[in-house]
Amino acid sequence: MKFLVINGVNLNMTGKREPSVYGVRTLDDINADLRAFCLKNGDEVDFYQSNIEGELCERTHKAEGEYDGIVLNAGAFTHYSIAIRDAISSVTVPVVEVHMSNVFAREEFRHTSLLTAVCKGEILGFGENSYKLALESFRL
Ligand code: DQA
């Protein structure tokens, strides 16, 4: 299978920002592990990160017909981006929503996701392993 892992706003700061919440490993570290994980499973994987809402929408559009699944951690956009929700709805490639932290154990504004309803499913609270679990979910 061929996967695209998309990280949204502020996820480029992983490893530096709020290490007690998101850990000390950088996004590059996490992506390197995910690449090895996919290789072991015989899968292909590409990575994309942007802090810009429209760029995340465009990358989602371009994924149509090219990938079997998208793993998406939209960061804070999750909680208010109608544009990213509509981008997910615009393509047939299934999207699994991911969060490293357990958003339901955090501030109330993180309890709402505009994306979950148009995603195949959601995985959260397992730190960087949330991404691996999301990749595995495409095989179920
Ligand atoms: C996050 C949770 C969001 O609420 C937050 O804005 C993030 C990261 C997570 O991975 O836990 O940037 O998506």
Side-chain angles (χ1 to χ4, degrees), residues 9-11 17 21-22 73-79 98-103 106 109-110 131:
V9 63
N10 295 317
L11 272 307
R17 73 159 176 160
V21 179
Y22 302 115
N73 185 350
F77 287 142
T78 304
H79 312 301
V98 158
H99 302 286
M100 286 189 275
S101 64
N102 177 354
V103 287
R106 301 180 66 195
F109 62 83
R110 295 185 204 277
Y131 294 98

Side-chain angles (χ1 to χ4, degrees), residues 10-34 36 100 127-129 131-132:
N10 295 317
L11 272 307
N12 59 308
M13 296 300 288
T14 304
K16 296 183 199 99
R17 73 159 176 160
E18 299 184 78
S20 61
V21 179
Y22 302 115
V24 295
R25 301 186 75 229
T26 67
L27 191 58
D28 282 348
D29 294 336
I30 293 169
N31 287 347
D33 275 6
L34 294 179
M100 286 189 275
E128 63 182 83
N129 286 320
Y131 294 98
K132 279 188 191 164

Side-chain angles (χ1 to χ4, degrees), residues 13 34 44 66 79 84 90 93 95 114-115 120 123 133:
M13 296 300 288
L34 294 179
E44 279 180 62
E66 213 201 315
H79 312 301
I84 293 176
S90 303
V93 47
V95 177
L114 267 60
L115 312 184
K120 190 177 178 210
I123 292 174
L133 291 169

Side-chain angles (χ1 to χ4, degrees), residues 12-69:
N12 59 308
M13 296 300 288
T14 304
K16 296 183 199 99
R17 73 159 176 160
E18 299 184 78
S20 61
V21 179
Y22 302 115
V24 295
R25 301 186 75 229
T26 67
L27 191 58
D28 282 348
D29 294 336
I30 293 169
N31 287 347
D33 275 6
L34 294 179
R35 189 178 292 288
F37 179 76
C38 285
L39 214 74
K40 205 177 69 190
N41 291 335
D43 295 323
E44 279 180 62
V45 64
D46 290 324
F47 299 96
Y48 183 76
Q49 191 278 327
S50 177
N51 292 321
I52 300 168
E53 189 180 21
E55 288 184 355
L56 294 166
C57 294
E58 283 182 359
R59 190 65 193 91
T60 301
H61 300 161
K62 281 190 199 130
E64 183 72 341
E66 213 201 315
Y67 294 95
D68 299 302

